[in-house]
Amino acid sequence: MNFLTRKVLELKNIRKVYDNGVVANDGIDLTLNQSEIHAIVGENGAGKSTLMNIVFGEIKPTAGTILLRGEQVYFGSPKQAIEKGIGMVHQHFKLVDSLTVAHNIFLGIEPKKAGFIDKNKMIRLTSELAEKYKFRIDPEALVRDISVGEKQKVEILKVLARGAEILILDEPTAVLTPQETEELFTELRTFKETGYSIIFISHKLNEVKSISDKITVIRKGKTLGTYDGSELSESELSNLMVGREVVRSFDKVLVEKGEVVLDIHNLKLVNDFGKKKLNNFNLSLNRGVILGVAGVEGNGQDDLVKCICGLNKEYSGEILICNRDIKKLGISEIRDLGVAHIPEDRMTDGLH
Ligand SMILES: Nc1ncnc2c1ncn2[C@@H]1O[C@H](COP(=O)(O)OP(=O)(O)OP(=O)(O)O)[C@@H](O)[C@H]1O
Ligand SMILES: [Mg+2]
């Protein structure tokens, strides 16, 4: 059967104006076909998450039409979207750390026996689901003890356990190692072959090109177009996303390396459960140097930034800025030493 000709989801002229006047979606059109992996790309703030939250019933659109298998639908809540077979895995996971993998998957729809949660059945159903989709996961492990990649599998299985046929994945690879990303892509291809339809948001254009059948480009809340996965090169895509030629190479100016301005010795940080978040981290930064810290999201970089800015002082070890131990300093004194911080999420953390 040729799935590709069947439209499963059509978004027509979707508009969203938030209460603060921000026009996040300004007439977006998108068509998702059966058994298709469809990427949505766009710069930060282009309106991708807003659009997906509208499809998932989390946000009400200001205007526009959603057709599901040809029929107009209104979703007042995610519950209604789930009932119609739409599942979403958010940019930030929504799991309960203290519960098992199996319980997270069946949270709210737990199988019961004599009025009590049937744990054995939950574990068995989880194993069956995992086996069906070739997911490697321990149903009895506590979510707080599993890796970020495994947490994502739990989120996906949670959506599948609720009968989703359309999967929306918002930035699924941001938190994954390259190996985990490969594993996810293999899983997505399996879903596709089984007849699932997938919307996939990503900033990583090489990944988008390798996995997608279709790519829709969004800029400033507007659809620029939908293209075949192989139709445009990475640089053509990024030029479309930002609306001008993207310069990909810079001339490095040679700068004389100055004195050490940031010195971190044996930085250690543990979470509430005693799990290590930073373990003997050392770093030294000289004046005039740009230092990159590379790592997959969730591996401590966020905590590192909080410690350097004085937002978290629960660490052991030492952070010296211009030779001063910042543990003894207030946030404004640290700022006076010349430290500034542009947070990842400016909406929630932008006031520090
Ligand atoms: N709850 C909200 N209230 C007001 N404005 C919002 C809200 N959520 C998002 N916005 C704004 O709407 C615009 C679109 O945001 P959205 O999160 O949809 O973008 P995005 O394409 O998903 O970005 P990113 O790539 O950073 O995830 C941005 O200007 C954002 O600041
Ligand atoms: Mg987003």
Side-chain angles (χ1 to χ4, degrees):
M1 180 177 171
N2 182 8
F3 290 128
L4 281 172
T5 48
R6 230 177 98 196
K7 293 174 184 172
V8 284
L9 183 72
E10 288 169 86
L11 308 180
K12 293 188 172 172
N13 214 4
I14 302 287
R15 189 172 160 79
K16 174 67 191 179
V17 186
Y18 282 110
D19 290 345
N20 60 0
V22 171
V23 184
N25 286 176
D26 192 9
I28 293 190
D29 295 314
L30 187 142
T31 300
L32 175 70
N33 293 311
Q34 171 104 39
S35 205
E36 174 178 278
I37 300 181
H38 194 129
I40 301 181
V41 299
E43 275 190 295
N44 287 115
K48 308 177 293 291
S49 294
T50 299
L51 184 70
M52 289 306 109
N53 284 320
I54 288 173
V55 175
F56 193 51
E58 257 171 340
I59 295 178
K60 274 204 181 69
T62 311
T65 311
I66 302 178
L67 299 179
L68 189 65
R69 296 178 196 91
E71 196 183 305
Q72 189 164 350
V73 286
Y74 303 93
F75 297 137
S77 67
K79 194 167 169 278
Q80 291 173 5
I82 291 165
E83 277 163 12
K84 293 277 187 189
I86 297 179
M88 178 156 174
V89 176
H90 288 84
Q91 230 163 332
H92 300 287
F93 301 153
K94 300 186 168 183
L95 298 172
V96 185
D97 269 355
S98 55
L99 296 179
T100 60
V101 163
H103 201 165
N104 267 282
I105 292 172
F106 287 95
L107 199 63
I109 52 166
E110 294 93 346
K112 301 255 169 75
K113 198 162 133 186
F116 293 100
I117 293 174
D118 187 346
K119 283 193 181 161
N120 289 335
K121 188 166 180 191
M122 228 157 51
I123 291 166
R124 184 165 45 80
L125 290 175
T126 302
S127 301
E128 284 170 12
L129 255 182
E131 207 165 296
K132 183 168 171 194
Y133 297 106
K134 301 190 184 70
F135 278 35
R136 278 183 290 134
I137 194 104
D138 174 8
E140 294 181 70
L142 289 177
V143 160
R144 69 164 172 250
D145 294 331
I146 64 177
S147 71
V148 177
E150 287 167 326
K151 284 184 188 168
Q152 185 177 66
K153 289 186 201 300
V154 177
E155 287 277 15
I156 295 174
L157 289 176
K158 200 172 155 177
V159 160
L160 297 176
R162 283 159 182 74
E165 292 168 359
I166 297 174
L167 304 184
I168 301 170
L169 305 171
D170 195 352
E171 298 270 359
T173 62
V175 293
L176 301 183
T177 61
Q179 294 83 343
E180 286 171 331
T181 298
E182 241 349 280
E183 221 174 294
L184 172 72
F185 283 3
T186 308
E187 290 154 7
L188 294 187
R189 288 189 187 104
T190 309
F191 292 153
K192 178 184 139 137
E193 280 156 21
T194 331
Y196 287 89
S197 314
I198 297 158
I199 297 183
F200 164 81
I201 297 177
S202 175
H203 280 109
K204 301 180 187 168
L205 297 181
N206 56 338
E207 291 180 356
V208 165
K209 277 189 62 67
S210 81
I211 188 84
S212 314
D213 300 304
K214 289 273 162 61
I215 303 172
T216 291
V217 183
I218 290 179
R219 191 201 311 154
K220 293 188 179 137
K222 290 190 165 69
T223 326
L224 289 187
T226 296
Y227 308 88
D228 280 340
S230 52
E231 198 175 331
L232 300 176
S233 67
E234 272 178 53
S235 57
E236 283 169 328
L237 270 176
S238 57
N239 292 349
L240 265 181
M241 276 162 59
V242 295
R244 60 184 155 74
E245 191 80 22
V246 179
V247 182
R248 284 166 169 263
S249 64
F250 297 91
D251 291 330
K252 277 190 193 162
V253 185
L254 213 55
V255 176
E256 195 74 23
K257 204 160 116 177
E259 75 282 10
V260 173
V261 286
L262 171 67
D263 213 0
I264 302 180
H265 295 288
N266 297 334
L267 190 64
K268 280 189 196 167
L269 190 72
V270 291
N271 69 10
D272 295 343
F273 307 108
K275 204 167 174 185
K276 288 177 187 130
K277 298 175 96 182
L278 290 165
N279 189 17
N280 273 335
F281 185 91
N282 292 288
L283 177 152
S284 173
L285 173 69
N286 293 71
R287 189 179 295 283
V289 170
I290 297 174
L291 190 145
V293 178
V296 174
E297 197 177 308
N299 278 275
Q301 44 282 64
D302 199 36
D303 299 294
L304 174 67
V305 169
K306 288 204 169 99
C307 292
I308 296 173
C309 298
L311 297 169
N312 186 344
K313 297 202 168 174
E314 301 300 313
Y315 60 85
S316 65
E318 205 176 31
I319 303 178
L320 301 174
I321 296 178
C322 300
N323 284 323
R324 294 189 62 191
D325 183 348
I326 64 159
K327 205 160 204 176
K328 304 182 182 94
L329 304 180
I331 290 173
S332 60
E333 289 169 295
I334 295 173
R335 202 181 296 138
D336 289 344
L337 290 175
V339 177
H341 171 214
I342 299 173
E344 181 187 357
D345 185 349
R346 297 177 302 282
M347 290 281 292
T348 38
D349 298 330
L351 292 174
H352 294 310

